[in-house]
Amino acid sequence: DTAVSQTPKYLVTQMGNDKSIKCEQNLGHDTMYWYKQDSKKFLKIMFSYNNKELIINETVPNRFSPKSPDKAHLNLHINSLELGDSAVYFCASSQEHRGFYYNEQFFGPGTRLTVL
Amino acid sequence: TQLLEQSPQFLSIQEGENLTVYCNSSSVFSSLQWYRQEPGEGPVLLVTVVTGGEVKKLKRLTFQFGDARKDSSLHITAAQPGDTGLYLCAGLTADRGSTLGRLYFGRGTQLTVWP
């Protein structure tokens, strides 16, 4: 039944490590996103993929690399983790079946990343 | 960067009270969405408003899009403890060179409704 799922839910790691977060959606949507939510709950887009093609690439350190093996999956790999990377990362998907103006996004449950 | 200012940042009220949350910007948006987020979960879409001046009602929640499509408000009547959560507004703008838009989120209003 899960529409947008992410794994893991929690990720605790040391500075300098490399980690990945996986995202899958079973809604048949064409577009998937990664967002970062900081400790003050500010939600900011990082990347967007449409049919496996990178569409939005915000000013994100190149230590962050998204990969979309197919349009139902969008993974996020992070190299050389830093303390400032600690946040909640949300995957989302959308389908513009109602037209551009609606672009309604369905979010996953989030991955809380803690870098020690 | 398109900035959306939400106010108030925190709101703590008693059950049965009314409240209004504001979302303001100097930028024009193609549409504006309101989401609600509960602890440990992702945001869930409540409504999308598209036309300037549009008003949408969802039971006790009333959403309004400003005439100039730069601001929006969320009014809750007779708040209940189940309304507790983080309310986020998000403005949609077109992305240059793409048919897809992008959402810019406000910083949220944390609402707590006490029984």
Side-chain angles (χ1 to χ4, degrees):
Chain A
D1 265 340
T2 305
V4 182
S5 59
Q6 294 178 230
T7 54
K9 176 76 170 170
Y10 299 95
L11 190 50
V12 181
T13 188
Q14 298 284 338
M15 255 190 340
N17 284 350
D18 303 338
K19 291 292 178 186
S20 292
I21 306 172
K22 295 186 175 182
C23 177
E24 176 181 2
Q25 54 96 2
N26 63 6
L27 296 165
H29 289 171
D30 287 336
T31 308
M32 295 184 72
Y33 310 80
W34 277 109
Y35 286 87
K36 179 180 179 181
Q37 188 171 48
D38 63 22
S39 58
K40 296 187 177 180
K41 304 295 186 184
F42 184 47
L43 197 59
K44 188 174 179 187
I45 191 166
M46 300 173 69
F47 301 103
S48 164
Y49 270 75
N50 179 255
N51 280 318
K52 303 195 300 174
E53 181 184 349
L54 181 64
I55 300 296
I56 295 173
N57 184 352
E58 281 293 284
T59 309
V60 175
N62 58 15
R63 298 181 295 103
F64 290 78
S65 53
K67 284 190 171 51
S68 182
D70 55 62
K71 73 174 193 178
H73 295 84
L74 180 62
N75 303 323
L76 183 66
H77 187 75
I78 315 170
N79 289 327
S80 304
L81 278 156
E82 300 178 357
L83 293 176
D85 297 333
S86 295
V88 182
Y89 292 84
F90 286 99
C91 177
S93 72
S94 70
Q95 181 77 13
E96 292 177 54
H97 64 282
R98 292 175 65 194
F100 167 82
Y101 296 99
Y102 288 89
N103 194 9
E104 294 157 343
Q105 303 196 6
F106 293 77
F107 286 81
T111 296
R112 181 173 293 278
L113 171 65
T114 304
V115 183
L116 303 174
Chain B
T1 303
Q2 315 267 10
L3 291 177
L4 274 167
E5 300 290 338
Q6 267 189 256
S7 61
Q9 188 178 354
F10 297 97
L11 196 49
S12 183
I13 61 172
Q14 291 293 129
E15 183 174 2
E17 292 184 19
N18 301 331
L19 66 110
T20 302
V21 176
Y22 299 93
C23 179
N24 297 302
S25 177
S26 57
S27 302
V28 176
F29 293 100
S30 301
S31 62
L32 199 131
Q33 300 175 5
W34 284 92
Y35 290 80
R36 182 175 148 205
Q37 184 179 11
E38 300 199 24
E41 299 180 10
V44 175
L45 180 70
L46 295 173
V47 79
T48 302
V49 283
V50 177
T51 308
E54 182 176 3
V55 177
K56 277 192 176 176
K57 291 195 174 186
L58 197 66
K59 297 184 180 177
R60 294 176 294 100
L61 278 60
T62 301
F63 304 86
Q64 185 161 9
F65 201 11
D67 291 341
R69 305 207 322 275
K70 294 181 179 181
D71 53 80
S72 180
S73 64
L74 157 60
H75 183 78
I76 301 179
T77 305
Q80 298 176 1
D83 295 327
T84 294
L86 178 70
Y87 289 81
L88 297 160
C89 66
L92 179 69
T93 64
D95 207 41
R96 190 179 301 174
S98 167
T99 57
L100 297 173
R102 71 172 68 193
L103 282 180
Y104 290 91
F105 281 83
R107 291 187 174 271
T109 295
Q110 180 63 54
L111 171 65
T112 304
V113 183
W114 299 99

